[in-house]
């Protein structure tokens, strides 16, 4: 049975699309048939991050409206065998997505995929609601700063009440914290919240910590998900997160600054 | 609270009724700023202590469907006197839309019997039943997240998970939080001065008992992040270690 994963946050610019691209690609690399859907109607950029923007013919809304079938709209990734992308529409019409329409498309994708990764738009309005409504799992992408943590907290409240699982009284959506743009130096200088602080406030299990990294920008400029840059810290951190998502027990890393890493590790700090 | 005979004649502009879920109903017959303000201040002067952080439901069931009500202005007036409108009940479609725009959700009208007759010779205020099953105590096992509000009408509230900054928990009775309390906690919201607040780690934005409150900066003393109980001594909110 396919699993639906929403990548969500409340706040914009925290790394949802970067994460959707990396995690989706990572799952496919591990042999699972995966599709990444861009729910950001009007502001699509998953296709840019994935480097397939020139291959977009039909989009998510076209499929919902019956103007194209799924096979026409799905873009097969050229690098990773088991990976598909379903781009968002450029329409300004915020009502283009309906719960019925989304459900129809998800049901069809479930037949042929193991994982469906939903890249949520920012905010707590309709678009974010659509992206999370059918989810089995949520990756709550959070930056180590107060306003981002607050927005993630809000999203967690909504996940508890406004999803299909909540409404049906089923097992709640499984929640994971993904702390991104983490800069150990700035944490040490007291400019940012530490991992422990964020974990304590949100009190959900930590899936991974993705360091603030130049590799992310250069990957997105090349239209390549950063997880494919296996030599980079961010690429490795995303790979760790994918393995944890699949049930592996992987130790956390990139929690300390490069210079101080060994020193604080000797004293058990993290 | 006083005599209500004149329900429909021109001097009286609304009537207050008690209810089983300890929600006060403000029954509106018509609205204009001046008469509402006058009536409200007269009512409040009769019972100055009754309205402290008191949630009220605005009933529009006796208000003509065409009557225009400025809910934003009305809400501000109410809050000035310590009443907090939380919802409207009944009302015409236009009134409900206006209420929603002002941030007031709408409840379905009360049972038909209480809405049909004109309130010509209405008896004195009676406890009114709203057909919502109410268990006095509430136990919450999930975190209360920012933007969420949990209320235990008529009883105690027990929370077994963190209460986030930006969340609000309220009870007519005591509040227990067996985890960090980072949001707002209001116990004894109907005026019960013997209500208490207990929490495992005091990190709150505000705590209040029967309307006597302390805000975050008053709380950040020696007991910050400690297990505490809060109670009233006179009208002083007193915090001590557990
Ligand atoms: N780990 C990271 N290190 C450095 N920059 C990052 C990181 N993650 C995201 N970014 C940058 O932050 C910006 C927003 O990322 P994006 O994934 O589009 O966020 P969202 O989808 O949440 O709006 C982009 O410019 C991206 O390159
Ligand atoms: Mg995005």
């Amino acid at each position: 049975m396919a699993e639906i994963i929403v990548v969500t946050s409340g706040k914009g610019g925290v790394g949802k699309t970067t994460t959707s691209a990396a995690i989706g690609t990572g799952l496919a690399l591990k042999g699972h048939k995966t599709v990444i859907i861009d729910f950001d109607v009007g502001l699509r950029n998953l296709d840019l991050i994935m480097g397939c923007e020139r291959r977009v013919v039909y989009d998510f809304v076209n499929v919902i409206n019956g103007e194209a079938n799924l096979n026409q709209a799905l873009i097969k990734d050229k690098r990773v065998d088991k990976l598909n992308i379903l781009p968002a529409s450029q329409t300004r019409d915020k009502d283009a997505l309906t719960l019925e329409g989304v459900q129809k498309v998800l049901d069809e994708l479930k037949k042929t995929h193991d994982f469906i990764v939903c890249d949520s738009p920012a905010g707590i309005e309709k678009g974010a609601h659509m992206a999370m409504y059918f989810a089995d799992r949520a990756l709550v992408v959070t930056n180590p700063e107060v306003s981002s943590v607050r927005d993630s907290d809000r999203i967690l409240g909504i996940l508890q009440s406004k999803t299909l699982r909540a409404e049906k009284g089923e097992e709640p959506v499984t929640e994971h914290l993904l702390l991104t743009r983490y800069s150990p130096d700035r944490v040490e200088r007291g400019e940012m919240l530490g991992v422990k602080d964020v974990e304590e406030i949100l009190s959900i299990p930590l899936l991974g910590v993705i360091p603030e990294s130049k590799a992310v920008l250069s990957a997105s400029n090349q239209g390549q998900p950063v997880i494919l840059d296996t030599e980079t810290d961010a690429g490795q951190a995303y790979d760790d997160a994918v393995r944890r998502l699949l049930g592996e027990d992987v130790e956390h890393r990139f929690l300390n600054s490069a210079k101080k890493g060994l020193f604080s590790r000797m004293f058990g700090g993290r | 609270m006083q005599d209500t005979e004149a329900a429909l004649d021109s001097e009286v502009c609304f009537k207050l009724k008690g209810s089983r879920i300890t929600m006060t109903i403000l029954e509106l017959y018509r609205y204009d700023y001046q008469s509402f303000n006058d009536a409200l201040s007269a009512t409040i002067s009769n019972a100055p202590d009754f309205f402290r952080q008191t949630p009220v439901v605005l009933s529009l069931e006796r208000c003509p469907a065409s009557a225009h009500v400025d809910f934003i202005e009305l809400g501000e007036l109410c809050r000035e006197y310590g009443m907090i409108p939380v919802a409207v009940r009944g009302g015409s479609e236009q009134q409900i839309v206006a209420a929603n725009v002002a941030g007031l959700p709408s409840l379905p009208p009360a049972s038909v019997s209480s809405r049909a007759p004109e309130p010509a010779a209405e008896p004195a205020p009676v406890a009114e039943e709203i057909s919502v099953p109410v268990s006095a105590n509430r136990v919450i096992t999930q975190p209360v997240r920012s933007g969420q509000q949990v209320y235990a009408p008529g009883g105690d509230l027990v929370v077994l998970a963190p209460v986030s900054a930006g969340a609000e928990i309220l009870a007519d009775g005591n509040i227990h939080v067996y985890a960090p309390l980072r949001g707002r906690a209001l116990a004894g919201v109907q005026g019960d001065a013997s209500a208490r607040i207990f929490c495992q780690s005091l990190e709150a934005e505000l705590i209040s008992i029967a309307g006597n409150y302390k805000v975050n900066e008053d709380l950040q003393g020696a007991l910050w992040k400690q297990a505490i109980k809060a109670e009233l001594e006179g009208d002083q909110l007193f915090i001590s270690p557990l």
Side-chain angles (χ1 to χ4, degrees):
Chain A
M1 191 60 188
E3 188 163 276
I4 301 178
I5 304 175
V6 62
V7 178
T8 187
S9 74
K11 198 168 160 65
V14 295
K16 290 180 293 296
T17 300
T18 304
T19 297
S20 301
I23 299 279
T25 304
L27 289 167
L29 283 170
K30 303 270 189 264
H32 304 282
K33 189 87 201 250
T34 301
V35 57
I36 316 174
I37 309 180
D38 190 346
F39 273 77
D40 209 342
V41 170
L43 272 177
R44 77 174 192 215
N45 62 5
L46 177 72
D47 49 336
L48 285 172
I49 304 287
M50 294 299 298
C52 63
E53 71 277 12
R54 288 193 208 89
R55 296 166 60 209
V56 174
V57 183
Y58 295 107
D59 60 51
F60 194 11
V61 171
N62 292 140
V63 179
I64 286 178
N65 293 344
E67 294 149 8
N69 64 37
L70 256 180
N71 284 334
Q72 293 172 300
L74 282 179
I75 302 175
K76 213 177 150 342
D77 191 85
K78 286 196 165 148
R79 298 152 297 212
V80 181
D81 190 28
K82 300 199 164 191
L83 183 61
N84 286 317
I85 291 110
L86 183 55
S89 163
Q90 289 292 35
T91 172
R92 298 266 147 87
D93 179 10
K94 292 275 174 205
D95 294 327
L97 296 183
T98 60
L99 278 183
E100 300 73 52
V102 170
Q103 180 162 36
K104 194 184 75 182
V105 174
L106 291 179
D107 282 346
E108 203 172 333
L109 286 169
K110 273 183 176 174
K111 292 180 199 154
T112 45
H113 292 83
D114 303 316
F115 289 102
I116 301 172
V117 176
C118 303
D119 180 19
S120 175
I124 54 175
E125 312 287 303
K126 190 167 174 199
H129 181 224
M130 292 285 166
M132 73 166 65
Y133 189 75
F134 298 101
D136 302 304
R137 243 176 233 279
L139 305 195
V140 179
V141 178
T142 307
N143 291 166
E145 41 147 314
V146 173
S147 68
S148 171
V149 173
R150 176 72 69 99
D151 284 355
S152 293
D153 193 55
R154 220 168 255 157
I155 279 289
L156 285 163
I158 296 170
L159 282 165
Q160 275 169 30
S161 55
K162 301 218 171 119
T163 53
L164 184 62
R165 281 176 172 274
E167 285 175 7
K168 278 186 158 173
E170 294 176 352
E171 277 290 290
V173 176
T174 308
E175 299 157 342
H176 302 274
L177 171 61
L178 193 71
L179 199 52
T180 62
R181 310 202 66 164
Y182 193 73
S183 165
D185 288 329
R186 299 191 59 190
V187 174
E188 272 159 35
R189 290 199 298 269
E191 294 168 9
M192 280 186 159
L193 298 170
V195 184
K196 278 256 165 69
D197 302 324
V198 181
E199 272 187 286
E200 210 184 285
I201 296 173
L202 294 180
S203 57
I204 59 170
L206 180 68
L207 180 72
V209 177
I210 312 299
E212 172 78 24
S213 167
K214 290 195 180 74
V216 171
L217 185 62
S218 70
S220 77
N221 284 337
Q222 294 167 51
Q224 166 149 312
V226 70
I227 198 167
L228 293 177
D229 296 330
T230 53
E231 300 299 302
T232 65
D233 50 0
Q236 292 171 5
Y238 273 119
D239 186 61
D240 287 359
V242 169
R243 286 160 57 193
R244 288 188 201 106
L245 202 56
L246 293 171
E248 261 184 74
D249 192 8
V250 184
E251 212 187 313
H252 288 278
R253 44 182 175 157
F254 311 111
L255 305 179
N256 301 297
S257 63
K259 300 148 276 171
K260 290 197 177 161
L262 181 60
F263 179 78
S264 46
R265 224 171 285 150
M266 285 192 323
F267 292 91
R270 66 172 235 184
Chain B
M1 315 297 310
Q2 298 256 304
D3 71 63
T4 47
E5 281 171 11
L8 254 202
D9 68 37
S10 52
E11 299 308 309
V12 180
C13 143
F14 66 81
K15 181 177 58 168
L16 294 171
K17 294 171 138 191
S19 92
R20 265 272 194 81
I21 60 161
T22 58
M23 223 7 139
T24 304
I25 309 283
L26 192 157
E27 198 168 66
L28 198 68
Y29 299 136
R30 62 194 166 81
Y31 177 79
D32 68 84
Y33 180 88
Q34 200 53 52
S35 48
F36 188 80
N37 190 26
D38 294 349
L40 198 51
S41 78
T43 310
I44 270 41
S45 66
N46 286 334
D49 278 327
F50 190 74
F51 298 106
R52 279 213 184 126
Q53 304 274 344
T54 305
V56 296
V57 172
L58 304 175
S59 160
L60 304 175
E61 289 146 307
R62 301 276 163 84
C63 196
S66 58
H68 170 75
V69 181
D70 183 341
F71 286 102
I72 294 176
E73 189 183 82
L74 184 154
E76 276 165 11
L77 268 172
C78 284
R79 276 186 289 275
E80 261 178 54
Y81 290 105
M83 278 191 220
I84 304 165
V86 293
V88 298
R89 196 175 72 180
S92 66
E93 221 167 87
Q94 279 166 322
Q95 288 164 341
I96 290 173
V97 169
N100 289 351
V101 168
L104 293 167
S106 76
L107 302 172
S111 59
V112 185
S113 60
S114 76
R115 99 156 269 159
E118 286 303 305
E122 188 77 10
V126 287
E128 188 182 346
E129 286 183 40
I130 293 184
S131 58
V132 176
V134 173
S135 74
N137 297 328
R138 267 185 95 173
V139 179
I140 305 290
T141 56
Q142 293 288 318
V144 186
R145 302 287 184 183
S146 182
Q148 292 184 324
Q149 191 189 53
V150 178
Y151 179 35
D156 288 1
L157 178 63
V158 179
V159 185
L160 302 172
V163 177
S164 296
E168 184 170 77
I169 54 177
L170 309 102
D172 288 351
N174 304 304
I175 290 178
H176 306 252
V177 182
Y178 297 103
L181 169 59
R182 302 190 173 103
R184 297 155 55 90
L186 297 88
V189 292
Q190 292 294 320
D192 179 1
S194 71
R196 294 176 188 189
I197 296 173
F198 307 88
C199 72
Q200 210 151 63
S201 178
L202 175 67
E203 303 170 36
E205 293 169 319
L206 174 145
I207 61 174
S208 164
I209 296 175
N212 301 280
Y213 62 86
K214 282 198 154 103
V215 294
N216 178 279
E217 52 190 40
D218 307 326
L219 298 172
Q220 295 208 15
L223 294 171
W224 188 248
K225 296 203 174 180
Q226 303 298 305
I228 60 103
K229 66 172 190 287
E231 58 207 318
L232 280 186
E233 284 182 8
D235 56 6
Q236 273 292 328
L237 190 62
F238 191 74
I239 300 175
S240 52
L242 257 190

